[in-house]
Amino acid sequence: MEIKDIHQLEKQAYKKSHGELTRIGLALLFMVLALVYSYNISGDGTSSLILAVATVFGAYMAMNIGANDVANNVGPAVGSKALTMGGAIIIAMIFEAAGAIIAGGDVVSTVKKGIIDINGFGGNTQDFVWAMMSALLAAALWLNLATFARAPVSTTHSIVGGVMGAGIAAAGFSIVDWGTMGAIASSWVISPVIGGVIAIIFLYAIKKTIIFQDDKITASSKWVPVYVAIMAWAFVTYLVIKGLKKVWPGLTGFINESLSLGMDFGSKPSMVDALIIGFVIGILVYFLVKRTVKQRLPRLTNDRASVNVLFTIPLIFAAALLSFAHGANDVANAIGPLAAIHDAIITGGITAEAGIPFWVMAVGALGIALGLALYGPRLIRTVGGEITELDQMRAFSIAMAAAITVIIASQLGLPVSTTHVAIGAVFGVGFLREWLERAESLEDEIEQDEREIKEEKRLLSALRSELNVLMEKKDKTVSDYERITDLYRAIDEEKGTLKKAKKTLKKEKKSLYVKRDMMKKIITAWLITVPSAAVLSAILFYTIRGVMT
């Protein structure tokens, strides 16, 4: 039997290591292909080799974005079982790549968020190129480490830290716009708090209007179309703001020409444009969902599971739309520095914005999709189930929070991280569950057990003190020896009672709906992302410059 068990363990270990080697091999193959393609289209020479190496860094960064950041878009849908892991990965791969290629933009800021002043390089193109290469590699390495540790972190903050660290190494602390950095740091609090609050509001509204009602079916037929319509309004607005900047002129031009409107829609959509388009789509979705729910009512039972089923399809659409918008918006984290390097090498100068060749955009889009396919499941499981348990209603509230928070932030000019928003929403849902269901009594039990443990420790200490006094006594009587025996017995019993109380307390803490250990790990990772990426980038800058000059 033992030999069979050992053989089975060997087979499992081989299978796991073989799968890991396959993933590493595919990732390396993609980076090699990116390097070869970049070098071949750039011609021979040192500059072409530098661009090829930078392309490898960009490909590596894109894969790490796919592995870490995309989990926020599809994790709740997978955790709630609205999507399988395979289905979520396929949908996210398609829509991430489509968002990056279709709506990723024609130009990109060479320095993310304007955190450093490019004039600080004094026209030194070489140092600028080394800085961007260092920023890319440092951000990618940090994301790789965070993914390995199952910590969802902000890819934007990673590249911000990388650019800041390399900029300081190249030109000193004065190159950094510390006001902008302060605003970015504030998002560590703003993003999760807003996301959590909005998720709580929507989940509580769903519970109040549907789950807490005696007739859940009638309540569902009334309110589910409303919530899904609000979701459609929010997501279309979010998509227009974040994902249609590139295609907006062509789209509005076609509408103008087709309808002979002669209107000026501007070069990019305004908030009003986005809200109007979203509202119109939301109205259409309301009537479509109302008809669909009405058709399904005879097959539903008056329970929570049936209500959850009604949110499944909207959740799938939410995962797809979030992935499209993420691909359009966050692909710049991988290709922004790469586009800046390409522009600096081709033109010999440093500019605030650089054009994006299609092949550079393709490296970003394909890298995100491949990274998601190879390593995305690790973080998808974390976001979807290792923070708090999710069902379709909770996941729906998280998706709503992600979209609405970005809309509010865009309008108010607040710096927010979509990663922090989504994870904050997951925390918010978990804390609401604790508050609504049984955490209040559980917290009382925990406090009572902590008081009992404290009392047991005090009693144990008193028994030991009394024992020490008797043991030091020179002329012991028979009663003293009897008391010493009783004390040893009492101390052993108290130790057993204390151990049992601690075990009970540990079990109660684990039954809280938000895993506190996971929460601490994620918050710690958020706080150290920018400084960690910055320090690593500075080290890489000095290393690269030392090797190349």
mmCIF file of all heavy atoms in Angstrom, residues 238-257:
data_model
loop_
_atom_site.group_PDB
_atom_site.id
_atom_site.type_symbol
_atom_site.label_atom_id
_atom_site.label_comp_id
_atom_site.label_asym_id
_atom_site.label_seq_id
_atom_site.Cartn_x
_atom_site.Cartn_y
_atom_site.Cartn_z
ATOM 1 N N TYR A 238 -19.181 53.154 -18.905
ATOM 2 C CA TYR A 238 -17.776 52.814 -18.601
ATOM 3 C C TYR A 238 -17.012 52.468 -19.878
ATOM 4 O O TYR A 238 -15.883 52.912 -20.099
ATOM 5 C CB TYR A 238 -17.777 51.630 -17.634
ATOM 6 C CG TYR A 238 -16.427 51.037 -17.328
ATOM 7 C CD1 TYR A 238 -15.585 51.605 -16.389
ATOM 8 C CD2 TYR A 238 -16.002 49.866 -17.952
ATOM 9 C CE1 TYR A 238 -14.356 51.045 -16.081
ATOM 10 C CE2 TYR A 238 -14.771 49.298 -17.650
ATOM 11 C CZ TYR A 238 -13.959 49.892 -16.714
ATOM 12 O OH TYR A 238 -12.740 49.342 -16.417
ATOM 13 N N LEU A 239 -17.653 51.675 -20.743
ATOM 14 C CA LEU A 239 -17.013 51.232 -21.976
ATOM 15 C C LEU A 239 -16.761 52.390 -22.927
ATOM 16 O O LEU A 239 -15.708 52.482 -23.567
ATOM 17 C CB LEU A 239 -17.893 50.179 -22.652
ATOM 18 C CG LEU A 239 -17.240 49.328 -23.732
ATOM 19 C CD1 LEU A 239 -16.098 48.510 -23.154
ATOM 20 C CD2 LEU A 239 -18.269 48.411 -24.379
ATOM 21 N N VAL A 240 -17.730 53.284 -23.019
ATOM 22 C CA VAL A 240 -17.570 54.444 -23.904
ATOM 23 C C VAL A 240 -16.420 55.333 -23.429
ATOM 24 O O VAL A 240 -15.587 55.790 -24.212
ATOM 25 C CB VAL A 240 -18.880 55.253 -23.984
ATOM 26 C CG1 VAL A 240 -18.660 56.577 -24.721
ATOM 27 C CG2 VAL A 240 -19.963 54.447 -24.690
ATOM 28 N N ILE A 241 -16.353 55.552 -22.095
ATOM 29 C CA ILE A 241 -15.299 56.405 -21.532
ATOM 30 C C ILE A 241 -13.929 55.767 -21.685
ATOM 31 O O ILE A 241 -12.963 56.401 -22.118
ATOM 32 C CB ILE A 241 -15.562 56.674 -20.036
ATOM 33 C CG1 ILE A 241 -16.809 57.526 -19.860
ATOM 34 C CG2 ILE A 241 -14.367 57.380 -19.394
ATOM 35 C CD1 ILE A 241 -17.259 57.643 -18.420
ATOM 36 N N LYS A 242 -13.849 54.474 -21.354
ATOM 37 C CA LYS A 242 -12.550 53.811 -21.252
ATOM 38 C C LYS A 242 -12.125 53.072 -22.521
ATOM 39 O O LYS A 242 -10.937 52.862 -22.740
ATOM 40 C CB LYS A 242 -12.559 52.814 -20.085
ATOM 41 C CG LYS A 242 -12.532 53.481 -18.729
ATOM 42 C CD LYS A 242 -11.202 54.154 -18.497
ATOM 43 C CE LYS A 242 -11.107 54.772 -17.137
ATOM 44 N NZ LYS A 242 -9.823 55.452 -16.928
ATOM 45 N N GLY A 243 -13.104 52.664 -23.341
ATOM 46 C CA GLY A 243 -12.742 51.771 -24.429
ATOM 47 C C GLY A 243 -12.980 52.245 -25.839
ATOM 48 O O GLY A 243 -12.567 51.584 -26.790
ATOM 49 N N LEU A 244 -13.658 53.391 -26.018
ATOM 50 C CA LEU A 244 -14.011 53.802 -27.378
ATOM 51 C C LEU A 244 -13.309 55.085 -27.830
ATOM 52 O O LEU A 244 -13.716 55.702 -28.809
ATOM 53 C CB LEU A 244 -15.537 53.990 -27.481
ATOM 54 C CG LEU A 244 -16.386 52.733 -27.250
ATOM 55 C CD1 LEU A 244 -17.853 53.048 -27.487
ATOM 56 C CD2 LEU A 244 -15.950 51.594 -28.161
ATOM 57 N N LYS A 245 -12.247 55.476 -27.127
ATOM 58 C CA LYS A 245 -11.540 56.707 -27.512
ATOM 59 C C LYS A 245 -10.973 56.608 -28.923
ATOM 60 O O LYS A 245 -11.011 57.564 -29.698
ATOM 61 C CB LYS A 245 -10.409 56.988 -26.520
ATOM 62 C CG LYS A 245 -10.877 57.272 -25.108
ATOM 63 C CD LYS A 245 -9.691 57.416 -24.163
ATOM 64 C CE LYS A 245 -10.147 57.584 -22.733
ATOM 65 N NZ LYS A 245 -9.007 57.637 -21.788
ATOM 66 N N LYS A 246 -10.426 55.448 -29.243
ATOM 67 C CA LYS A 246 -9.772 55.262 -30.534
ATOM 68 C C LYS A 246 -10.772 55.256 -31.684
ATOM 69 O O LYS A 246 -10.525 55.829 -32.743
ATOM 70 C CB LYS A 246 -8.975 53.954 -30.513
ATOM 71 C CG LYS A 246 -8.213 53.660 -31.787
ATOM 72 C CD LYS A 246 -7.430 52.370 -31.661
ATOM 73 C CE LYS A 246 -6.714 52.018 -32.964
ATOM 74 N NZ LYS A 246 -5.966 50.741 -32.838
ATOM 75 N N VAL A 247 -11.917 54.575 -31.481
ATOM 76 C CA VAL A 247 -12.877 54.416 -32.584
ATOM 77 C C VAL A 247 -13.951 55.513 -32.592
ATOM 78 O O VAL A 247 -14.782 55.543 -33.497
ATOM 79 C CB VAL A 247 -13.565 53.026 -32.503
ATOM 80 C CG1 VAL A 247 -12.530 51.922 -32.643
ATOM 81 C CG2 VAL A 247 -14.334 52.861 -31.191
ATOM 82 N N TRP A 248 -13.933 56.390 -31.595
ATOM 83 C CA TRP A 248 -14.975 57.411 -31.479
ATOM 84 C C TRP A 248 -15.072 58.315 -32.710
ATOM 85 O O TRP A 248 -16.181 58.510 -33.235
ATOM 86 C CB TRP A 248 -14.753 58.238 -30.217
ATOM 87 C CG TRP A 248 -15.782 59.299 -29.968
ATOM 88 C CD1 TRP A 248 -15.661 60.649 -30.171
ATOM 89 C CD2 TRP A 248 -17.115 59.115 -29.477
ATOM 90 N NE1 TRP A 248 -16.800 61.304 -29.830
ATOM 91 C CE2 TRP A 248 -17.725 60.388 -29.395
ATOM 92 C CE3 TRP A 248 -17.846 57.994 -29.096
ATOM 93 C CZ2 TRP A 248 -19.022 60.565 -28.956
ATOM 94 C CZ3 TRP A 248 -19.149 58.175 -28.647
ATOM 95 C CH2 TRP A 248 -19.727 59.443 -28.580
ATOM 96 N N PRO A 249 -13.970 58.885 -33.210
ATOM 97 C CA PRO A 249 -14.090 59.764 -34.387
ATOM 98 C C PRO A 249 -14.685 59.054 -35.597
ATOM 99 O O PRO A 249 -15.547 59.606 -36.290
ATOM 100 C CB PRO A 249 -12.636 60.191 -34.656
ATOM 101 C CG PRO A 249 -11.951 60.039 -33.343
ATOM 102 C CD PRO A 249 -12.573 58.841 -32.717
ATOM 103 N N GLY A 250 -14.234 57.819 -35.851
ATOM 104 C CA GLY A 250 -14.769 57.074 -36.988
ATOM 105 C C GLY A 250 -16.230 56.722 -36.802
ATOM 106 O O GLY A 250 -17.028 56.804 -37.742
ATOM 107 N N LEU A 251 -16.606 56.347 -35.589
ATOM 108 C CA LEU A 251 -17.983 55.968 -35.294
ATOM 109 C C LEU A 251 -18.927 57.160 -35.426
ATOM 110 O O LEU A 251 -19.990 57.068 -36.071
ATOM 111 C CB LEU A 251 -18.059 55.394 -33.871
ATOM 112 C CG LEU A 251 -19.419 54.881 -33.403
ATOM 113 C CD1 LEU A 251 -19.874 53.703 -34.228
ATOM 114 C CD2 LEU A 251 -19.354 54.490 -31.922
ATOM 115 N N THR A 252 -18.557 58.288 -34.831
ATOM 116 C CA THR A 252 -19.414 59.478 -34.915
ATOM 117 C C THR A 252 -19.448 60.034 -36.342
ATOM 118 O O THR A 252 -20.475 60.569 -36.775
ATOM 119 C CB THR A 252 -18.921 60.559 -33.942
ATOM 120 O OG1 THR A 252 -17.531 60.830 -34.186
ATOM 121 C CG2 THR A 252 -19.091 60.111 -32.509
ATOM 122 N N GLY A 253 -18.327 59.893 -37.056
ATOM 123 C CA GLY A 253 -18.305 60.331 -38.455
ATOM 124 C C GLY A 253 -19.268 59.518 -39.302
ATOM 125 O O GLY A 253 -19.975 60.067 -40.162
ATOM 126 N N PHE A 254 -19.322 58.211 -39.050
ATOM 127 C CA PHE A 254 -20.239 57.340 -39.792
ATOM 128 C C PHE A 254 -21.693 57.704 -39.493
ATOM 129 O O PHE A 254 -22.538 57.746 -40.398
ATOM 130 C CB PHE A 254 -19.969 55.879 -39.415
ATOM 131 C CG PHE A 254 -20.942 54.903 -39.999
ATOM 132 C CD1 PHE A 254 -20.862 54.530 -41.339
ATOM 133 C CD2 PHE A 254 -21.973 54.367 -39.220
ATOM 134 C CE1 PHE A 254 -21.770 53.634 -41.892
ATOM 135 C CE2 PHE A 254 -22.880 53.476 -39.763
ATOM 136 C CZ PHE A 254 -22.782 53.094 -41.098
ATOM 137 N N ILE A 255 -21.986 57.977 -38.197
ATOM 138 C CA ILE A 255 -23.354 58.354 -37.811
ATOM 139 C C ILE A 255 -23.739 59.683 -38.453
ATOM 140 O O ILE A 255 -24.854 59.844 -38.974
ATOM 141 C CB ILE A 255 -23.465 58.439 -36.274
ATOM 142 C CG1 ILE A 255 -23.294 57.047 -35.660
ATOM 143 C CG2 ILE A 255 -24.805 59.040 -35.857
ATOM 144 C CD1 ILE A 255 -23.210 57.043 -34.148
ATOM 145 N N ASN A 256 -22.825 60.635 -38.423
ATOM 146 C CA ASN A 256 -23.086 61.940 -39.038
ATOM 147 C C ASN A 256 -23.399 61.798 -40.512
ATOM 148 O O ASN A 256 -24.345 62.404 -41.038
ATOM 149 C CB ASN A 256 -21.871 62.851 -38.846
ATOM 150 C CG ASN A 256 -22.060 63.836 -37.710
ATOM 151 O OD1 ASN A 256 -23.176 64.245 -37.415
ATOM 152 N ND2 ASN A 256 -20.969 64.209 -37.051
ATOM 153 N N GLU A 257 -22.588 60.981 -41.185
ATOM 154 C CA GLU A 257 -22.749 60.821 -42.633
ATOM 155 C C GLU A 257 -24.016 60.062 -42.974
ATOM 156 O O GLU A 257 -24.745 60.420 -43.909
ATOM 157 C CB GLU A 257 -21.528 60.078 -43.186
ATOM 158 C CG GLU A 257 -21.510 59.996 -44.704
ATOM 159 C CD GLU A 257 -20.257 59.330 -45.219
ATOM 160 O OE1 GLU A 257 -19.217 59.363 -44.530
ATOM 161 O OE2 GLU A 257 -20.317 58.764 -46.333
#
